[in-house]
């Protein structure tokens, strides 16, 4: 888009942000049509695979929440990549992962005329009107970690395939339960796109004959809050005395559940597994509470998101299936269906390999 078109679109978007804020302040109802200012300029354009990556791209990272060690590692990778690409890195975000906590941050980023916003959405739809406004203002949107609704972003950086993550969670639970017994899930927030997608796959896997002796008794939500996750873990064990495994597909939940179990009489009787940061989980692996869990390197997600963002902002890719781009030290990536870019397979951590991982 030409500079003058971009300025015009930005001005229109800024005006609609102002309107939106005024409606919000006066207690007005949410206006669905705020972002529907026509098709996003970034879609429909054609990619130029030979376009040079631009320097000076302003890219802002908006994780689910700031006070989560996982997000810190993720965005640190984004900073490394933006430095390599000679862009301007920015990090903003809420302190809780509730559905609408990111909306005001998106509106501010529009006013600041960022070139790219990378977002780990706390809710696929709550952020959508604002993201559409951002797109209408010529800002490229990279979803990472937890997707926004597809029409509100250009690409989504998935840590591994949703199917692969769900399968590996059930496989670990089955192994740790010895093939039968009660299991429970301790998730993040009830509206998190990523956890909900993984849990859907888990339920399909649990319905298969090889898992028929496992019984999912409850899905609890710790809201990616350490204290709430700790209490929910405690509650699960009180309510289900025969529970064999807590599967927590969130780094916050698995660390809190492990902390509870490790200091309780359930240690050694109840297994904890799921998705965890090796640095947070090491002590529980060493003290025997946790036998295996999985993850990817969150820093690589931020790094890949930054390269995808700068490639979008440079016109090298548009988010269409089949487009290719280079992501520095991570190598070559091809955009899949629905703008999805998959980082790679998850790694399983055990007492044998945990010390090789320092994140
Ligand atoms: C938590 C967050 C994040 C998720 C990881 C596994 O830190 O919920 O979105 O990807 O866990």
């Amino acid at each position: 888009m030409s500079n003058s078109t971009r300025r015009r679109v930005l001005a229109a978007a800024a005006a609609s942000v102002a309107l939106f804020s005024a409606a919000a302040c006066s207690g007005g109802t949410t206006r669905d049509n705020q972002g529907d200012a026509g098709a996003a300029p970034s879609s429909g354009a054609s990619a130029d695979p030979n376009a040079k990556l631009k320097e000076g791209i302003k890219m802002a990272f908006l994780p689910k929440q700031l006070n989560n060690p996982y997000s810190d590692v993720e965005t640190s990778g984004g900073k490394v990549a933006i430095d390599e690409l000679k862009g301007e890195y920015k990090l903003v975000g809420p302190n809780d992962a509730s559905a609408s906590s990111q909306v005001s941050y998106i509106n501010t980023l529009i006013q600041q005329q960022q070139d790219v916003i990378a977002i780990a959405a706390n809710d696929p739809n709550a952020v959508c009107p604002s993201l559409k406004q951002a797109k209408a203002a010529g800002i490229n949107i990279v979803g990472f970690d937890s997707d926004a609704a597809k029409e509100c972003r250009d690409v989504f950086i998935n840590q591994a395939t949703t199917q692969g993550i769900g399968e590996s969670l059930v496989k670990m639970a089955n192994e740790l339960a010895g093939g039968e017994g009660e299991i429970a899930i301790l998730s993040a927030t009830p509206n998190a796109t990523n956890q909900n997608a993984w849990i859907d796959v888990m339920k399909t896997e649990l319905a298969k004959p090889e898992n028929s002796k496992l019984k999912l008794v409850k899905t609890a939500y710790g809201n990616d809050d350490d204290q709430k996750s700790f209490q929910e873990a405690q509650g699960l064990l009180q309510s289900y005395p025969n529970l064999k495994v807590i599967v927590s597909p969130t780094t916050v939940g698995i660390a809190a559940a492990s902390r509870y179990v490790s200091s309780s009489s359930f240690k050694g009787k109840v297994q904890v597994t799921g998705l965890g940061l090796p640095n947070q989980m090491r002590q529980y692996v060493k003290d025997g509470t946790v036998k295996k869990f999985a993850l990817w390197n969150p820093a690589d997600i931020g790094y890949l998101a930054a390269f995808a963002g700068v490639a979008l902002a440079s016109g090298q890719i548009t988010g269409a299936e089949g487009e290719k781009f280079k992501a520095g030290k991570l190598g070559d990536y091809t955009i899949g269906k629905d703008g999805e870019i998959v980082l790679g397979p998850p790694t399983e951590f055990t007492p044998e390999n945990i010390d090789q991982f320092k994140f």
Side-chain angles (χ1 to χ4, degrees):
M1 147 167 43
S2 74
N3 280 342
S4 61
T5 316
R6 182 178 163 91
R7 267 195 302 276
R8 268 201 313 277
V9 178
L10 278 170
S16 85
V17 169
L19 268 176
F20 181 78
S21 316
C25 292
S26 62
T29 51
T30 309
R31 297 164 49 142
D32 283 339
N33 60 350
Q34 279 301 307
D36 291 330
S42 51
S43 62
S46 58
D48 173 5
N50 299 317
K52 239 178 125 278
L53 291 182
K54 289 183 187 161
E55 293 186 359
I57 295 296
K58 287 160 66 175
M59 179 157 178
F61 280 78
L62 176 49
K64 279 180 167 179
Q65 62 189 113
L66 289 186
N67 53 351
N68 175 345
Y70 177 89
S71 305
D72 296 344
V73 184
E74 229 173 13
T75 52
S76 71
K79 166 122 185 34
V80 169
I82 291 296
D83 286 348
E84 267 177 44
L85 292 163
K86 300 196 170 52
E88 284 181 41
Y89 167 87
K90 192 182 192 82
L91 170 64
V92 294
N95 286 324
D96 68 87
S98 63
S100 58
S101 60
Q102 293 167 312
V103 171
S104 63
Y105 292 90
I106 301 169
N107 293 340
T108 304
L109 292 172
I110 297 171
Q111 284 163 339
Q112 293 171 346
Q113 305 191 1
Q114 296 292 314
D115 296 305
V116 187
I117 297 174
I119 180 169
N122 280 325
D123 179 288
N125 302 312
V127 290
C128 224
S130 298
L131 289 182
K132 281 188 180 169
Q133 286 177 354
K135 281 177 68 134
I139 300 175
N140 293 107
I141 311 296
V142 177
F144 69 101
D145 180 37
S146 182
D147 206 1
K150 291 179 188 34
E151 69 273 20
C152 310
R153 49 72 171 160
D154 297 301
V155 293
F156 172 57
I157 311 297
N158 207 348
Q159 31 277 73
T161 66
T162 300
Q163 181 68 27
I165 296 170
E167 280 174 11
S168 98
L169 290 167
V170 171
K171 187 168 155 280
M172 290 189 297
N174 190 325
E175 284 165 14
L176 292 169
E180 60 182 328
E182 293 183 358
I183 66 167
I185 296 174
L186 175 60
S187 190
T189 55
N191 39 283
T193 328
N194 53 345
Q195 273 88 15
N196 285 345
W198 301 331
I199 292 170
D200 279 349
V201 175
M202 289 179 73
K203 288 182 175 162
T204 308
E205 286 302 300
L206 286 169
K208 292 186 173 166
E210 62 269 31
N211 297 314
S212 63
K213 291 190 181 145
L214 291 180
K215 185 170 176 229
L216 176 61
V217 291
K218 169 137 179 151
T219 300
Y221 297 93
N223 292 350
D224 269 353
D225 174 275
D226 175 70
Q227 278 308 311
K228 169 121 171 85
S229 304
F230 187 89
Q231 284 156 11
E232 290 292 330
Q234 195 172 16
L236 283 172
L237 291 169
Q238 270 159 13
S239 308
Y240 302 97
N242 297 323
L243 200 62
K244 281 196 161 169
V245 186
I246 295 178
V247 191
S248 187
T250 142
T251 59
V252 180
I254 193 176
S258 303
R259 189 167 86 250
Y260 174 68
V261 171
S262 75
S263 59
S264 75
S265 57
F266 297 105
K267 185 175 168 192
K269 296 183 194 126
V270 174
Q271 298 295 321
V272 182
T273 190
L275 303 173
L277 281 168
N279 281 355
Q280 281 190 300
M281 298 301 292
R282 202 174 324 274
Q283 59 180 302
Y284 307 115
V285 170
K286 301 271 179 193
D287 78 4
T289 306
V290 173
K291 294 197 174 126
K292 60 173 65 175
F293 66 99
L295 202 72
W296 39 83
N297 185 344
D300 290 345
I301 300 171
Y303 188 91
L304 181 52
F307 270 85
V310 174
L312 280 165
S314 306
Q316 206 181 74
I317 57 172
T318 64
E321 185 172 0
E323 290 172 357
K324 295 178 192 306
F325 66 103
K326 290 192 186 308
K329 65 172 186 196
L330 295 176
D332 297 341
Y333 280 84
T334 303
I335 301 179
K337 194 169 168 286
D338 294 326
E340 185 176 307
I341 302 164
V342 178
L343 175 68
T347 302
E348 212 173 86
F349 307 101
T350 61
E352 289 72 40
N353 73 4
I354 182 105
D355 282 334
Q356 295 163 27
F357 300 93
K358 308 283 184 217
F359 55 84

